[in-house]
Amino acid sequence: MNEKREIQDEIRAITHGLPELPEYTPPENYFDQLPDEILNRWKKEASQPKIKVITWKQVIAIAAILTGVCIGLFFINQKDHVPMPITSAEAYEYVRENIDEFEGLLEYGDQVPHDAPWDVSADAIHEYLMEESSDEIIEDLF
């Protein structure tokens, strides 16, 4: 008993200002019953069905994530529908092959007849075309 008292005095000297703990002794046969008690409690908890409660914050988070995914998929799919650029030669070939489909779109009333007199000389026309197309390559016009 004297030895126990010396240990307590030494502990009090090391731990200044801490409250002294009361002596505690477990009930009789406590450690003999403890393993069985733990196993019984574990089996009882394992046999009960687990129900997960979803809070409003979780519902809002799930809805926000799904909305983001849907918007992302929408924009990803929009990139697939962009028409491929075609060259002017491909466009010209298409029109030439399908000219019959364009007949209703063509206007014939404003055409100048071939036998109409021209008041403008060929040199004036050539000079006008050269001024207007000075910055562009002539092949790119057709």
Side-chain angles (χ1 to χ4, degrees), residues 3-140:
E3 206 174 294
K4 187 176 180 183
R5 188 72 170 158
E6 288 176 13
I7 293 173
Q8 287 177 348
D9 290 341
E10 187 177 337
I11 291 175
R12 271 190 229 111
I14 294 172
T15 58
H16 301 291
L18 290 178
E20 189 173 322
L21 296 176
E23 283 192 35
Y24 177 77
T25 57
E28 287 184 32
N29 298 324
Y30 175 76
F31 292 106
D32 294 336
Q33 298 170 358
L34 184 63
D36 292 334
E37 200 172 305
I38 292 173
L39 286 174
N40 289 337
R41 186 184 303 173
W42 179 70
K43 287 178 185 176
K44 181 182 174 187
E45 288 178 5
S47 66
Q48 294 178 350
K50 302 221 186 274
I51 299 173
K52 183 167 171 96
V53 178
I54 298 176
T55 63
W56 280 105
K57 288 181 181 179
Q58 291 171 330
V59 171
I60 291 171
I62 291 169
I65 290 170
L66 289 176
T67 302
V69 168
C70 290
I71 290 172
L73 290 174
F74 174 77
F75 283 115
I76 288 172
N77 286 337
Q78 288 300 316
K79 291 180 181 176
D80 295 340
H81 299 293
V82 175
M84 296 294 294
I86 61 171
T87 64
S88 59
E90 292 171 336
Y92 177 75
E93 184 66 28
Y94 176 78
V95 170
R96 192 173 65 76
E97 289 174 359
N98 301 300
I99 192 68
D100 296 336
E101 295 177 19
F102 294 100
E103 284 294 325
L105 299 175
L106 299 175
E107 295 181 11
Y108 295 108
D110 295 315
Q111 289 184 350
V112 178
H114 293 292
D115 57 348
W118 289 92
D119 293 325
V120 182
S121 68
D123 291 335
I125 293 172
H126 185 268
E127 183 179 330
Y128 173 77
L129 289 175
M130 291 306 288
E131 287 175 4
E132 291 296 319
S133 65
S134 62
D135 295 340
E136 301 174 10
I137 299 173
I138 294 181
E139 287 90 26
D140 289 343

